[in-house]
Amino acid sequence: SLPCSLPAARAVPYGDMAAALVQYVVLRGDLARPPRSWPLGAVVAQGCHAALAAVHGYREHPDTGAYLEQGGAMTTVVLEAPDENSLLDLAKLLQEKGVDHKIWLENPEGIATCLALRPYPKNLVQPHLRNFKLLK
């Protein structure tokens, strides 16, 4: 187990905007462009798979429960990784920093398509994602 550089787990009160819970999803932008040219629905499905895998994998964490309790007020930020290598580099960085996440592999190809963090207070994880732009 890697040392965690993040504070101990805690539920965040809804009114605390400085520590607003957010789930970050990082999708590969190159999947939708030539030469791959995946249909939009297939790319969106990768993000859904990764987000659900992260929520399920960390379902016992208090922040995950608090995030899900927000219902329609949940905040998800979808960012773009340019390619598979940048996505894998991000996964390595997050692992080194002790940030809980899941990487989604599309099978049977076995290629990394998306990465999702479990819900976190935004201010704790945003610095690790600052090099990624919103997916457009």
Side-chain angles (χ1 to χ4, degrees):
S1 172
L2 293 173
C4 182
S5 60
L6 297 175
R10 63 176 175 74
V12 177
Y14 298 142
D16 185 359
M17 291 315 289
L21 291 172
V22 62
Q23 184 175 27
Y24 282 95
V25 176
V26 185
L27 268 165
R28 283 178 49 192
D30 65 321
L31 296 177
R33 294 188 290 271
R36 293 190 184 274
S37 302
W38 287 19
L40 179 60
V43 177
V44 170
Q46 301 306 303
C48 293
H49 292 322
L52 287 168
V55 166
H56 179 71
Y58 298 100
R59 64 191 173 278
E60 302 298 328
H61 193 284
D63 285 347
T64 301
Y67 178 79
L68 293 172
E69 288 295 320
Q70 294 178 25
M74 290 183 290
T75 301
T76 305
V77 177
V78 182
L79 303 173
E80 177 180 343
D83 53 34
E84 187 174 21
N85 286 338
S86 63
L87 192 70
L88 295 173
D89 288 345
L90 174 61
K92 183 178 177 186
L93 170 73
L94 294 175
Q95 183 176 5
E96 289 169 358
K97 299 295 184 182
V99 176
D100 297 336
H101 66 281
K102 293 287 184 180
I103 193 150
W104 187 258
L105 297 177
E106 181 62 12
N107 287 310
E109 300 89 345
I111 59 170
T113 59
C114 187
L115 176 153
L117 279 63
R118 70 158 170 82
Y120 268 97
K122 183 177 182 177
N123 58 333
L124 291 183
V125 293
Q126 190 177 34
H128 304 306
L129 301 164
R130 67 180 176 274
N131 294 330
F132 295 89
K133 306 271 188 252
L134 291 173
L135 180 68
K136 294 192 179 180

